[in-house]
Each structure stands twice: as C-alpha cells, then as structure tokens.
Amino acid sequence: MKAKKYILGLLGMALFFTACDPDVGDKPGIGNAPSVDDIKFTMTPSAQDANTIQFDFTSDLISPYWAIKKLDGSVMSTNKRSFSMKYMWAGEYDGSIQAFGRGGLSEPKAFKVSVPNNDPIIYILTGKDTPKVWIWDSSVAGHLGCGEPSTTTPNWWSAGPNELKGRGIYDDELTFILNSTRDYSLKTNNDIYVNEAAAKTMAPDLFPNGSDVAVTVPYTQPKGQTWFMDRDADGKLYLTFSNKGFPSYVAHPDVLGNVRYEILELTENTLQLQWKGSGINWYMRFKVKQ
C-alpha cells in the first residue's frame, strides 16, 4: 500500500512540473518530435568544383539524419551537420533529411540535388569529341602482372615487354562509350587470353578439366555490356563492368561478377587498373591507340 502511494505521488509531481512549464511540447526535440518545418539546411556548390556540393544543417536544438541516393542506386547516409559530396555524373539525385531530438524523429523532408555537368575526369577515360580506344601498353614491363595483397605492384609475376605477343591479347581494343547506357566495347578479334583459373569457365569445350597454364580461347563479346565509374568515400576511383564484362584479360571467374577495378592511374594516355582477388592482386596497364 505504501509503495502504491509512493508511485502515485511521483506521478503527481511529474504532472505538476509539466503543467508549470508552458513551453514543453513547443520546443523541437524536447517535448514532441521535430516537425518537417523545423528542418533547415543549405546545399552549396563549391566555387572551385561545381560537382562538389556542400551540405549544411542549420537548425538548432535538433540533429540531422541525411539519406542521399547515388547514381548506382546505393544510398549515402550520415548524421553529420556539415559534409560535402563529389558527384561524378550530371543529373538530379533524390535525397531526404530527418531531424531528431529528445522528442523523437521527424518525418522525412525530400529534396533533390542538381548536378549540371559530368566530372571532367570521365572524359579522360572516354574522350570527349572523339571516343578513345585503349590497347595494352605492351612495350612496358608489368603491363600485366600479379602480386601479394599487401602491395600495389606486381611483385609475384610481371609480364616483360611484348612477352605475350601472339596469344590473342595485344590486339584487343577497349572503348568506353559515353551514351545514355554507357556501352562498353571490347574488340577482341575473336579470341582473348585468360588465366588458367578461368580456362574451364571461358572455354568449357576446349578445357573441360581446366588448365595448368594461361591460354588463348575464342570469345565474342555479348551485347549489353556497360561500364560505370565512381569514387569511394576516400576519393579512390573505380571501374565496373556489367553483364560479365572485363578489361580484356580474365584473371579469375570471379571477375565476371561485376567486380570493381580500382583505377590506380588515369591520364590522357595511360589507364592502370588493379583488381583485388582472393589473396592476390592483378594489374593491367593500357595506353591510347594512336
């Protein structure tokens, strides 16, 4: 009975103090959950780079929760009050923001991010007025090679200059077409060079039991392969192929699963890629066809 009276007394005191504070329930994040009208923020393109957008949350007493959709369909989410995002591709991007405080979480407030132009680095890969055609930089040592995962160089095996001549690799041509679907063209002249691990996958009739060495196999590029370039949170560039696409050399069957190749170097005349497989890194170096 005493416990019951004690609990009732506490409830009575809580009601008394609440009634004495006319502002409770009016402050966002203290009594009630914030409303959409409480959410204030700005989006400002950088003066140095119009593809970099600065996001700032300007409301007081409450905190933000951002969710911004990227071109590849993934969503970047953060609760930072201020941050910037660099966009690779022109277009309109959907986003939403919610505010939360002691009173709970608000409803989402939708917005759009407008990016007028592609990142100029895209044109270094594709060419702007005339499409670029990339071929193997076969005269340079290490144009194809592999190494241990802890390094960024092919320290296990490195192809010497023109070492793979006549094996169906140096006549391959890669073109990254800048159209609405970002088509990828791999001209192979009917054959490609593949690692022994991929021999059975790429040519099951010729190598039903696999192979102990890298081999040349017939290949015709299927229709519908595309490419995509993006950056991660650290600013590293990546290249991805769809529909089992690959950059001329098949290092392992895993690369047919739309893996990401890190772009180690991209200049007007040089493209160097790295693929991190299971316990091994592969390296490929290309140059612009003259």
Side-chain angles (χ1 to χ4, degrees):
M1 187 68 181
K2 288 183 179 180
K4 184 176 181 181
K5 290 182 178 179
Y6 179 73
I7 294 171
L8 290 173
L10 289 176
L11 290 172
M13 290 176 65
L15 290 172
F16 173 77
F17 285 116
T18 301
C20 289
D21 186 357
D23 293 330
V24 170
D26 297 329
K27 296 178 180 178
I30 295 179
N32 298 326
S35 72
V36 170
D37 293 336
D38 295 321
I39 299 174
K40 308 296 181 185
F41 66 97
T42 60
M43 300 182 294
T44 310
S46 166
Q48 291 74 34
D49 178 11
N51 286 67
T52 298
I53 310 297
Q54 176 67 34
F55 296 84
D56 293 294
F57 185 72
T58 58
S59 299
D60 295 326
L61 302 177
I62 50 179
S63 300
Y65 178 79
W66 309 79
I68 304 175
K69 192 172 183 179
K70 298 192 289 186
L71 189 64
D72 63 1
S74 63
V75 175
M76 190 288 298
S77 59
T78 182
N79 59 2
K80 293 181 179 179
R81 294 185 67 87
S82 296
F83 65 96
S84 62
M85 281 187 65
K86 184 175 178 64
Y87 289 85
M88 293 286 299
W89 298 91
E92 277 203 335
Y93 298 83
D94 292 326
S96 68
I97 184 171
Q98 294 173 274
F100 61 90
R102 291 173 59 188
L105 187 66
S106 75
E107 293 295 319
K109 183 174 187 176
F111 61 87
K112 290 186 179 294
V113 183
S114 295
V115 180
N117 300 304
N118 291 331
D119 189 317
I121 200 168
I122 292 173
Y123 300 108
I124 297 179
L125 178 71
T126 65
K128 193 164 188 178
D129 300 320
T130 303
K132 279 186 177 180
V133 177
W134 297 91
I135 59 176
W136 286 92
D137 198 356
S138 57
S139 63
V140 175
H143 55 277
L144 177 62
C146 60
E148 57 188 320
S150 60
T151 68
T152 56
T153 57
N155 63 333
W156 281 347
W157 172 72
S158 177
N162 298 304
E163 181 180 328
L164 305 175
K165 186 176 181 179
R167 302 193 187 184
I169 185 171
Y170 294 153
D171 59 354
D172 292 354
E173 299 180 357
L174 294 68
T175 306
F176 303 91
I177 302 168
L178 192 59
N179 56 9
S180 59
T181 54
R182 294 185 301 276
D183 292 328
Y184 168 59
S185 171
L186 175 60
K187 182 181 177 182
T188 66
N189 294 295
N190 302 316
D191 58 22
I192 56 172
Y193 191 56
V194 305
N195 184 268
E196 57 267 26
K200 183 177 180 179
T201 300
M202 300 304 295
D205 294 339
L206 294 176
F207 300 96
N209 300 315
S211 175
D212 295 328
V213 295
V215 293
T216 301
V217 300
Y219 180 78
T220 300
Q221 184 188 25
K223 294 182 179 180
Q225 289 186 345
T226 62
W227 65 277
F228 184 72
M229 183 194 291
D230 67 334
R231 278 190 177 89
D232 66 9
D234 297 322
K236 293 180 179 179
L237 281 171
Y238 290 88
L239 190 61
T240 310
F241 302 86
S242 74
N243 193 23
K244 299 183 179 181
F246 53 89
S248 177
Y249 179 72
V250 183
H252 191 276
D254 286 352
V255 306
L256 305 177
N258 302 344
V259 301
R260 298 174 85 196
Y261 293 82
E262 183 178 348
I263 300 176
L264 297 181
E265 183 180 358
L266 178 58
T267 68
E268 288 294 344
N269 294 295
T270 300
L271 171 63
Q272 185 177 17
L273 305 176
Q274 178 195 63
W275 174 64
K276 295 182 178 182
S278 178
I280 187 172
N281 290 348
W282 280 94
Y283 301 87
M284 303 158 208
R285 186 179 182 89
F286 304 91
K287 66 179 180 180
V288 173
K289 182 180 179 180
Q290 300 301 322

